[in-house]
Amino acid sequence: MRGAVLGAALVVALAACGGEPEQRAEPEPTPSAGPATTEAVDEPLPCVPGAEPFTGPAADEFGAEQVMAAYCMLADLAFAQERTSLALPVPEQDERDLRSVRAVLTTSALERWRERADVDGLTLHDVRRVPRGYQRADDGPFVYGTTVGPATARLEGDALSLSFALETGLVLEERGDDTGRHSLLPVTRDATYVLVPVGGGWKVADWEAKFTHGPVRLVSG
């Protein structure tokens, strides 16, 4: 119940600040020489409003619908994490929630992940500490307002490379404040994912991500 109340408060507060996140349409997933950036045409994607279908060398190699499916797989993984523990520090993540991340990895990527215990870039979690004087919300939602930007698709050898930025807000509470007020720490994740076709779908073979933070903003209370 508290999560629902907090979510409603965040919606009202963000709308008042002119910062209500764009709501995405329900997804319709269809997983079925040098780098070259794709070009776009004027048709909507099913999973990320405002994004456009892929054309260019990557789409020519794998098929435009298959490149779209790879992008939607990664976008849907991010959107689903607002309702899970995957925005929390690694020790606090629920083992059941991590299954959705494991499911998109190749066997070799899964082995590397087990060795380094590092899921940053596939989850919404950023290992940096929250700003001094704040703490993460004590229950959900742990992040709010996740949006996924348009992707750039390139060929990387026999693989597909997708790069895009993701924005979300980490829900914080001031330490020692029992008034129920909440703040958002804007988080941007710029990442590149290398994917390979497997069994009519896609698996992530490698990834690299960088997180940046904005200033904390009070949104409820």
Side-chain angles (χ1 to χ4, degrees):
M1 175 64 70
R2 177 188 175 283
V5 173
L6 172 56
L10 287 171
V11 169
V12 172
L14 286 171
C17 296
E20 183 177 1
E22 180 181 17
Q23 298 298 313
R24 73 187 185 100
E26 287 300 315
E28 299 177 8
T30 54
S32 50
T37 304
T38 62
E39 299 175 354
V41 294
D42 294 330
E43 294 180 16
L45 270 176
C47 56
V48 181
E52 297 177 324
F54 298 97
T55 63
D60 292 342
E61 176 69 21
F62 297 108
E65 291 186 358
Q66 284 296 88
V67 175
M68 182 189 299
Y71 178 43
C72 289
M73 180 187 77
L74 295 173
D76 291 343
L77 182 67
F79 288 128
Q81 289 179 31
E82 285 198 329
R83 301 184 298 275
T84 74
S85 68
L86 298 184
L88 294 172
V90 173
E92 300 177 37
Q93 290 171 1
D94 191 310
E95 181 68 19
R96 292 169 297 181
D97 293 336
L98 290 171
R99 293 174 188 166
S100 62
V101 178
R102 292 194 183 98
V104 305
L105 297 179
T106 62
T107 301
S108 60
L110 184 58
E111 289 302 320
R112 291 196 305 275
W113 174 28
R114 286 170 176 162
E115 291 173 2
R116 65 188 184 187
D118 177 8
V119 293
D120 288 348
L122 282 171
T123 71
L124 299 181
H125 170 54
D126 178 1
V127 296
R128 291 173 49 183
R129 295 181 180 274
V130 299
R132 184 181 299 275
Y134 291 89
Q135 62 188 13
R136 294 171 184 263
D138 59 3
D139 60 5
F142 303 111
V143 295
Y144 183 80
T146 303
T147 60
V148 173
T152 297
R154 298 182 175 90
L155 288 175
E156 186 162 319
D158 295 330
L160 168 66
S161 172
L162 286 177
S163 300
F164 60 89
L166 174 152
E167 295 184 355
T168 192
L170 187 64
V171 183
L172 303 178
E173 301 170 349
E174 287 193 60
R175 293 187 180 277
D177 184 353
D178 59 0
T179 64
R181 297 188 306 174
H182 291 85
S183 299
L184 284 182
L185 174 66
V187 178
T188 299
R189 187 184 79 192
D190 289 292
T192 296
Y193 304 91
V194 178
L195 303 101
V196 293
V198 176
W202 293 95
K203 295 283 188 177
V204 176
D206 201 3
W207 69 94
E208 182 177 359
K210 176 183 178 182
F211 289 86
T212 56
H213 293 165
V216 176
R217 180 161 57 95
L218 181 68
V219 293
S220 71

